[in-house]
Amino acid sequence: MNMDTRLDCMETMEVKGKNVDYKVTNVGPVIGGEGFLFVSENTTFLLDNGFAFCAEQMVENIRKVLGDRKLDYILLTHSHYDHLSGTPYITRAYPDVKVVANDHTANVIVRDGAKKVMRRMNEAARETYDGNEYEDLTDMLRVDIVVKDDDVVDLGDFRFKVCGFPGHTKCSIGFYSEEERLLLSCETLGVYIGDDKLASQYLVGYQMSIDSIDRALALDIDRMLIPHTGLAEGERCKSLLRSSKDLAIEGAKEIVYGHREGRSDEELLAILKEKYYTSYVRSLQPEAAFDLNAGYMISMLVNELADDPNF
Ligand SMILES: [Zn+2]
């Protein structure tokens, strides 16, 4: 395993679990559109699935890994288009697959307004990546098993408890297997930014993100699937989560104190960029995409914390 923990497209990691052995492969055809395919003796499932324009390529990648086997489940961590737009292409290829998501995600994907946004974002992604024309299947998005926090989903070889980890979005969830001490994480808990650090992608709430990271830190974790990244193991899981919490607190202080000192939005953006837009992230994420998210972070932090006398 490389120290970056990142699984590039079609890279596989083999895991000897506590009760079950499995392989994890990143079947995402492009950077930013990752999907992680888990294969064990009796169970196959995909965690998140990226953009629409390259979804057929993802289906091919899944077929390459699974051969004649079926895909049993798709698990979705939240309702953002870059995590679920591949779903209808995969459900068309594997009609028996069951899509698992929480109620918020299930409600969002059937709303006309949300579909419009997803179509627009997917088209923008295609342009950014210079991708090919593609069939629009947004209307075929579906969720088959709607879950809520603390539900247990039994996938056969894996039993996952649904953990609400709001902060990136209100609907962000992770999946935790107590038997395997395996956490399928989400962007609230952080994405890898190099130098053995995670950065929480907190967009909708500061305190709720810190609380979510604390909830994850309280779990027994031997392995953690990090969104857009790959699988971390051992002690490193907790140290990565702690780095995410530390960085979230530091970032919030710098932004909020900077705002109080009268720094402009551009100056605040520069502060975040210095912290989070590392050379590692720079190699993976276009600057415009970073700036867009950073803008949301800044207004969230200022709105929530600027007038808080205790912060
Ligand atoms: Zn997201």
Side-chain angles (χ1 to χ4, degrees):
M1 186 183 70
N2 65 43
M3 270 310 283
D4 283 346
T5 310
R6 186 178 162 77
L7 287 174
D8 285 320
C9 178
M10 292 309 273
E11 273 185 352
T12 295
M13 193 169 149
E14 295 195 23
V15 176
K16 279 217 158 303
K18 292 175 94 69
N19 300 289
V20 57
D21 297 342
Y22 52 97
K23 288 182 185 178
V24 187
T25 306
N26 174 13
V27 290
V30 298
I31 287 167
E34 289 76 11
F36 294 96
L37 180 58
F38 285 68
V39 179
S40 65
E41 192 180 351
N42 302 301
T43 302
T44 63
F45 73 88
L46 178 69
L47 182 75
D48 290 339
N49 55 52
F51 307 108
F53 79 88
C54 54
E56 290 296 0
Q57 183 63 49
M58 183 178 278
V59 170
E60 264 178 53
N61 290 345
I62 294 169
R63 282 200 200 285
K64 265 183 216 155
V65 177
L66 293 186
D68 295 337
R69 286 185 69 176
K70 283 184 176 176
L71 179 64
D72 300 325
Y73 298 94
I74 297 172
L75 309 186
L76 300 175
T77 59
H78 64 298
S79 59
H80 277 166
Y81 84 107
D82 59 327
H83 287 253
L84 57 67
S85 294
T87 305
Y89 305 84
I90 302 165
T91 55
R92 184 166 67 173
Y94 295 95
D96 296 334
V97 68
K98 297 274 182 270
V99 183
V100 182
N102 70 0
D103 47 355
H104 184 273
T105 300
N107 291 335
V108 162
I109 59 166
V110 294
R111 286 211 299 258
D112 285 340
K115 285 189 203 170
K116 226 166 127 181
V117 174
M118 280 190 258
R119 286 194 178 96
R120 202 179 60 228
M121 302 288 272
N122 271 310
E123 188 46 30
R126 185 191 69 79
E127 280 168 22
T128 304
Y129 288 86
D130 203 15
N132 294 326
E133 293 293 323
Y134 59 98
E135 199 181 345
D136 173 25
L137 299 184
T138 312
D139 282 329
M140 283 172 58
L141 270 167
R142 65 166 216 238
V143 173
D144 303 302
I145 300 174
V146 179
V147 294
K148 54 184 190 322
D149 293 358
D150 300 327
D151 278 359
V152 173
V153 277
D154 191 342
L155 309 187
D157 281 344
F158 298 88
R159 257 162 39 96
F160 287 112
K161 187 167 141 176
V162 178
C163 307
F165 291 132
H168 173 61
T169 60
K170 283 185 183 154
C171 64
S172 291
I173 55 173
F175 297 89
Y176 176 65
S177 163
E178 199 174 352
E179 292 88 351
E180 287 302 317
R181 293 167 164 249
L182 166 67
L183 176 65
L184 311 179
S185 171
C186 65
E187 286 172 295
T188 302
L189 306 184
V191 298
Y192 193 70
I193 61 164
D195 198 22
D196 236 26
K197 285 188 180 131
L198 295 187
S200 171
Q201 304 297 296
Y202 50 6
L203 300 180
V204 299
Y206 168 74
Q207 193 55 52
M208 71 170 78
S209 298
I210 298 294
D211 293 345
S212 290
I213 299 171
D214 280 338
R215 264 201 303 284
L217 278 166
L219 299 170
D220 288 324
I221 304 172
D222 286 346
R223 293 186 177 83
M224 179 168 69
L225 195 284
I226 305 163
H228 295 299
T229 311
L231 197 67
E233 295 190 299
E235 298 290 315
R236 212 170 151 233
C237 300
K238 289 283 173 86
S239 81
L240 285 167
L241 285 170
R242 276 191 290 271
S243 76
S244 184
K245 182 177 171 180
D246 291 346
L247 205 58
I249 294 170
E250 269 172 42
K253 281 185 178 159
E254 289 186 30
I255 292 302
V256 172
Y257 298 171
H259 170 81
R260 286 175 185 158
E261 287 160 12
R263 303 272 186 99
S264 68
D265 284 354
E266 289 74 46
E267 288 171 313
L268 297 179
L269 178 62
I271 292 172
L272 275 195
K273 204 166 264 184
E274 171 80 30
K275 249 188 152 43
Y276 294 111
Y277 203 48
T278 57
S279 58
Y280 180 87
V281 178
R282 200 171 279 272
S283 72
L284 300 176
Q285 187 184 37
E287 194 159 357
F290 176 87
D291 288 356
L292 188 69
N293 271 353
Y296 288 123
M297 281 185 191
I298 291 167
S299 43
M300 178 278 287
L301 291 169
V302 168
N303 284 337
E304 184 173 331
L305 299 170
D307 298 330
D308 181 348
N310 298 317
F311 189 83

PDB file of all heavy atoms in Angstrom, residues 77-83 168-169 172 187 201 203 228, ligand 1:
ATOM      1  N   THR A  77     -23.218   7.586   0.249  1.00  0.00           N
ATOM      2  CA  THR A  77     -22.900   8.316   1.482  1.00  0.00           C
ATOM      3  C   THR A  77     -23.641   9.641   1.604  1.00  0.00           C
ATOM      4  O   THR A  77     -23.796  10.156   2.710  1.00  0.00           O
ATOM      5  CB  THR A  77     -21.386   8.624   1.595  1.00  0.00           C
ATOM      6  OG1 THR A  77     -20.974   9.408   0.464  1.00  0.00           O
ATOM      7  CG2 THR A  77     -20.570   7.350   1.668  1.00  0.00           C
ATOM      8  N   HIS A  78     -24.042  10.237   0.480  1.00  0.00           N
ATOM      9  CA  HIS A  78     -24.822  11.485   0.533  1.00  0.00           C
ATOM     10  C   HIS A  78     -25.348  11.836  -0.847  1.00  0.00           C
ATOM     11  O   HIS A  78     -25.101  11.104  -1.811  1.00  0.00           O
ATOM     12  CB  HIS A  78     -24.016  12.635   1.148  1.00  0.00           C
ATOM     13  CG  HIS A  78     -22.805  13.072   0.370  1.00  0.00           C
ATOM     14  ND1 HIS A  78     -21.740  12.244   0.122  1.00  0.00           N
ATOM     15  CD2 HIS A  78     -22.490  14.253  -0.197  1.00  0.00           C
ATOM     16  CE1 HIS A  78     -20.822  12.910  -0.562  1.00  0.00           C
ATOM     17  NE2 HIS A  78     -21.250  14.128  -0.783  1.00  0.00           N
ATOM     18  N   SER A  79     -26.048  12.946  -0.938  1.00  0.00           N
ATOM     19  CA  SER A  79     -26.823  13.223  -2.152  1.00  0.00           C
ATOM     20  C   SER A  79     -26.087  14.080  -3.181  1.00  0.00           C
ATOM     21  O   SER A  79     -26.705  14.567  -4.113  1.00  0.00           O
ATOM     22  CB  SER A  79     -28.139  13.910  -1.763  1.00  0.00           C
ATOM     23  OG  SER A  79     -27.866  15.124  -1.077  1.00  0.00           O
ATOM     24  N   HIS A  80     -24.775  14.272  -3.041  1.00  0.00           N
ATOM     25  CA  HIS A  80     -24.067  15.077  -4.032  1.00  0.00           C
ATOM     26  C   HIS A  80     -23.891  14.333  -5.358  1.00  0.00           C
ATOM     27  O   HIS A  80     -23.600  13.137  -5.363  1.00  0.00           O
ATOM     28  CB  HIS A  80     -22.693  15.514  -3.507  1.00  0.00           C
ATOM     29  CG  HIS A  80     -22.767  16.735  -2.643  1.00  0.00           C
ATOM     30  ND1 HIS A  80     -21.728  17.137  -1.841  1.00  0.00           N
ATOM     31  CD2 HIS A  80     -23.757  17.641  -2.455  1.00  0.00           C
ATOM     32  CE1 HIS A  80     -22.074  18.246  -1.199  1.00  0.00           C
ATOM     33  NE2 HIS A  80     -23.300  18.559  -1.548  1.00  0.00           N
ATOM     34  N   TYR A  81     -24.005  15.096  -6.451  1.00  0.00           N
ATOM     35  CA  TYR A  81     -24.021  14.483  -7.787  1.00  0.00           C
ATOM     36  C   TYR A  81     -22.754  13.695  -8.099  1.00  0.00           C
ATOM     37  O   TYR A  81     -22.802  12.718  -8.831  1.00  0.00           O
ATOM     38  CB  TYR A  81     -24.245  15.575  -8.845  1.00  0.00           C
ATOM     39  CG  TYR A  81     -22.973  16.277  -9.249  1.00  0.00           C
ATOM     40  CD1 TYR A  81     -22.399  16.044 -10.492  1.00  0.00           C
ATOM     41  CD2 TYR A  81     -22.316  17.132  -8.373  1.00  0.00           C
ATOM     42  CE1 TYR A  81     -21.212  16.656 -10.854  1.00  0.00           C
ATOM     43  CE2 TYR A  81     -21.137  17.735  -8.729  1.00  0.00           C
ATOM     44  CZ  TYR A  81     -20.584  17.499  -9.959  1.00  0.00           C
ATOM     45  OH  TYR A  81     -19.410  18.084 -10.317  1.00  0.00           O
ATOM     46  N   ASP A  82     -21.610  14.121  -7.540  1.00  0.00           N
ATOM     47  CA  ASP A  82     -20.363  13.417  -7.868  1.00  0.00           C
ATOM     48  C   ASP A  82     -20.210  12.109  -7.086  1.00  0.00           C
ATOM     49  O   ASP A  82     -19.193  11.422  -7.212  1.00  0.00           O
ATOM     50  CB  ASP A  82     -19.142  14.329  -7.649  1.00  0.00           C
ATOM     51  CG  ASP A  82     -19.016  14.824  -6.216  1.00  0.00           C
ATOM     52  OD1 ASP A  82     -20.059  15.043  -5.553  1.00  0.00           O
ATOM     53  OD2 ASP A  82     -17.878  14.987  -5.748  1.00  0.00           O
ATOM     54  N   HIS A  83     -21.222  11.778  -6.282  1.00  0.00           N
ATOM     55  CA  HIS A  83     -21.181  10.513  -5.541  1.00  0.00           C
ATOM     56  C   HIS A  83     -22.253   9.532  -5.988  1.00  0.00           C
ATOM     57  O   HIS A  83     -22.178   8.352  -5.657  1.00  0.00           O
ATOM     58  CB  HIS A  83     -21.311  10.765  -4.029  1.00  0.00           C
ATOM     59  CG  HIS A  83     -20.067  11.347  -3.459  1.00  0.00           C
ATOM     60  ND1 HIS A  83     -19.195  10.642  -2.671  1.00  0.00           N
ATOM     61  CD2 HIS A  83     -19.514  12.572  -3.622  1.00  0.00           C
ATOM     62  CE1 HIS A  83     -18.167  11.408  -2.353  1.00  0.00           C
ATOM     63  NE2 HIS A  83     -18.336  12.587  -2.916  1.00  0.00           N
ATOM     64  N   HIS A 168     -20.748  17.818   6.190  1.00  0.00           N
ATOM     65  CA  HIS A 168     -20.460  18.064   4.771  1.00  0.00           C
ATOM     66  C   HIS A 168     -21.779  18.424   4.092  1.00  0.00           C
ATOM     67  O   HIS A 168     -21.906  19.448   3.435  1.00  0.00           O
ATOM     68  CB  HIS A 168     -19.836  16.817   4.156  1.00  0.00           C
ATOM     69  CG  HIS A 168     -19.645  16.909   2.668  1.00  0.00           C
ATOM     70  ND1 HIS A 168     -18.844  17.856   2.082  1.00  0.00           N
ATOM     71  CD2 HIS A 168     -20.171  16.182   1.645  1.00  0.00           C
ATOM     72  CE1 HIS A 168     -18.875  17.696   0.766  1.00  0.00           C
ATOM     73  NE2 HIS A 168     -19.678  16.703   0.477  1.00  0.00           N
ATOM     74  N   THR A 169     -22.743  17.562   4.267  1.00  0.00           N
ATOM     75  CA  THR A 169     -24.148  17.868   4.006  1.00  0.00           C
ATOM     76  C   THR A 169     -24.899  17.426   5.258  1.00  0.00           C
ATOM     77  O   THR A 169     -24.340  16.730   6.098  1.00  0.00           O
ATOM     78  CB  THR A 169     -24.706  17.056   2.806  1.00  0.00           C
ATOM     79  OG1 THR A 169     -24.573  15.650   3.123  1.00  0.00           O
ATOM     80  CG2 THR A 169     -23.949  17.360   1.519  1.00  0.00           C
ATOM     81  N   SER A 172     -25.167  13.448   5.181  1.00  0.00           N
ATOM     82  CA  SER A 172     -23.987  12.580   5.078  1.00  0.00           C
ATOM     83  C   SER A 172     -24.028  11.448   6.105  1.00  0.00           C
ATOM     84  O   SER A 172     -24.308  11.673   7.280  1.00  0.00           O
ATOM     85  CB  SER A 172     -22.714  13.403   5.283  1.00  0.00           C
ATOM     86  OG  SER A 172     -22.512  14.277   4.201  1.00  0.00           O
ATOM     87  N   GLU A 187     -17.405  12.478   3.541  1.00  0.00           N
ATOM     88  CA  GLU A 187     -16.577  13.682   3.423  1.00  0.00           C
ATOM     89  C   GLU A 187     -16.615  14.587   4.656  1.00  0.00           C
ATOM     90  O   GLU A 187     -15.741  15.423   4.825  1.00  0.00           O
ATOM     91  CB  GLU A 187     -16.972  14.460   2.168  1.00  0.00           C
ATOM     92  CG  GLU A 187     -16.473  13.772   0.913  1.00  0.00           C
ATOM     93  CD  GLU A 187     -17.005  14.411  -0.350  1.00  0.00           C
ATOM     94  OE1 GLU A 187     -18.236  14.362  -0.558  1.00  0.00           O
ATOM     95  OE2 GLU A 187     -16.211  14.962  -1.122  1.00  0.00           O
ATOM     96  N   GLN A 201     -14.556  18.110   4.840  1.00  0.00           N
ATOM     97  CA  GLN A 201     -15.160  18.979   3.823  1.00  0.00           C
ATOM     98  C   GLN A 201     -16.423  19.597   4.428  1.00  0.00           C
ATOM     99  O   GLN A 201     -17.522  19.359   3.968  1.00  0.00           O
ATOM    100  CB  GLN A 201     -15.483  18.156   2.563  1.00  0.00           C
ATOM    101  CG  GLN A 201     -14.280  17.445   2.000  1.00  0.00           C
ATOM    102  CD  GLN A 201     -13.202  18.408   1.520  1.00  0.00           C
ATOM    103  OE1 GLN A 201     -13.425  19.173   0.591  1.00  0.00           O
ATOM    104  NE2 GLN A 201     -12.040  18.407   2.173  1.00  0.00           N
ATOM    105  N   LEU A 203     -19.253  21.860   5.046  1.00  0.00           N
ATOM    106  CA  LEU A 203     -19.925  22.875   4.234  1.00  0.00           C
ATOM    107  C   LEU A 203     -21.166  23.433   4.903  1.00  0.00           C
ATOM    108  O   LEU A 203     -21.514  24.584   4.694  1.00  0.00           O
ATOM    109  CB  LEU A 203     -20.347  22.283   2.871  1.00  0.00           C
ATOM    110  CG  LEU A 203     -19.241  21.730   1.964  1.00  0.00           C
ATOM    111  CD1 LEU A 203     -19.854  21.189   0.682  1.00  0.00           C
ATOM    112  CD2 LEU A 203     -18.201  22.782   1.638  1.00  0.00           C
ATOM    113  N   HIS A 228     -13.095   9.391  -2.003  1.00  0.00           N
ATOM    114  CA  HIS A 228     -12.195   9.916  -3.035  1.00  0.00           C
ATOM    115  C   HIS A 228     -10.757   9.438  -2.861  1.00  0.00           C
ATOM    116  O   HIS A 228      -9.861   9.928  -3.545  1.00  0.00           O
ATOM    117  CB  HIS A 228     -12.180  11.459  -3.062  1.00  0.00           C
ATOM    118  CG  HIS A 228     -13.486  12.061  -3.446  1.00  0.00           C
ATOM    119  ND1 HIS A 228     -14.094  11.832  -4.656  1.00  0.00           N
ATOM    120  CD2 HIS A 228     -14.321  12.904  -2.774  1.00  0.00           C
ATOM    121  CE1 HIS A 228     -15.227  12.499  -4.715  1.00  0.00           C
ATOM    122  NE2 HIS A 228     -15.401  13.140  -3.583  1.00  0.00           N
TER     123      HIS A 228
HETATM  124 ZN    ZN B   1     -19.996  15.794  -1.373  1.00  0.00          ZN
END
